[in-house]
Amino acid sequence: MTGSTRGPNDPRRRERILDAALDVVAEHGAIKVTFRRIAEAAGVPLGSLTYYFDDMQHLLTAAFTRLAETVSTRYGALLEAARTRQEAEEAVVEIICGKVWGTDRNLLLSYELYAFATRHPEVRAVMRSWMRASRSSLARHFDPLTARALDALVEGFSIHNSVDPRPTDREEVAAVVRAVVGAGV
């Protein structure tokens, strides 16, 4: 059959593998991830993983990249929708207090990403890209230093609130965001 182009039987298989990898990381931690666990979670043959990914590091890098892009898209959409500086401040509060970034699963996965990147320097590029995207979204409304401070505030409050028995409430977070923005860091 000349001229015939055969497409993949399962065009979403790679994405399912990446989603399953994140699920396995969330359940077991990056250190305990195996091809077998991911294949089972994705419902694909074990050989499919090596078809798409040379090794575990490439697979986890792609999975963490998918996480970063997904969260950055939601994060950016909130800030892009803001038409005024006050709306942008409210968007930052929503990012911190809502479930855009700070879901239990996303926080757990981000902890795993930080730890994995610490031990695998080439994965730091994923984190740097995520930080650039976050700061770029914030820079639509704030000067670069304030955007950097707000980005750190988003992560810091999210991390602290995930473990604090009395998380900082929305009104308190809004007051701190206003203080950072008003100070023109």
Side-chain angles (χ1 to χ4, degrees):
M1 292 192 335
T2 53
S4 170
T5 57
R6 183 174 174 209
N9 291 338
D10 185 356
R12 284 210 68 256
R13 182 174 286 179
R14 184 177 190 280
E15 289 75 23
R16 280 202 340 269
I17 291 168
L18 293 175
D19 290 340
L22 291 172
D23 290 341
V24 172
V25 168
E27 184 176 344
H28 300 283
I31 197 145
K32 293 187 178 180
V33 171
T34 64
F35 277 154
R36 185 170 309 286
R37 281 183 171 157
I38 294 170
E40 287 173 10
V44 300
L46 186 58
S48 293
L49 276 66
T50 56
Y51 175 80
Y52 292 104
F53 305 100
D54 295 337
D55 56 32
M56 185 58 71
Q57 184 166 324
H58 288 117
L59 193 157
L60 288 176
T61 300
F64 284 134
T65 299
R66 183 172 176 83
L67 169 71
E69 289 170 351
T70 300
V71 174
S72 290
T73 298
R74 291 192 307 246
Y75 188 115
L78 272 176
L79 287 158
E80 189 174 320
R83 298 292 171 232
T84 66
R85 192 172 178 106
Q86 181 180 353
E87 288 178 0
E89 291 173 23
E90 291 167 6
V92 171
V93 172
E94 179 58 26
I95 290 166
I96 294 168
C97 297
K99 296 300 181 190
V100 173
W101 188 81
T103 66
D104 292 342
R105 180 177 187 273
N106 285 349
L107 286 169
L108 180 60
L109 288 170
S110 66
Y111 299 153
E112 291 289 336
L113 171 58
Y114 290 137
F116 191 76
T118 299
R119 290 177 178 82
H120 301 89
E122 57 281 355
V123 180
R124 290 184 191 145
V126 174
M127 292 182 68
R128 289 183 187 120
S129 175
W130 191 350
M131 289 178 356
R132 271 192 308 276
S134 299
R135 291 176 188 167
S136 176
S137 294
L138 289 160
R140 292 182 182 122
H141 304 283
F142 309 103
D143 65 85
L145 191 54
T146 301
R148 186 180 186 112
L150 289 171
D151 188 39
L153 193 68
V154 167
E155 289 198 37
F157 263 131
S158 298
I159 290 167
H160 284 228
N161 282 347
S162 74
V163 296
D164 195 327
R166 193 195 78 72
T168 307
D169 68 28
R170 186 176 282 271
E171 291 77 29
E172 293 168 326
V173 169
V176 174
V177 169
R178 282 192 304 275
V180 169
V181 170
V185 179

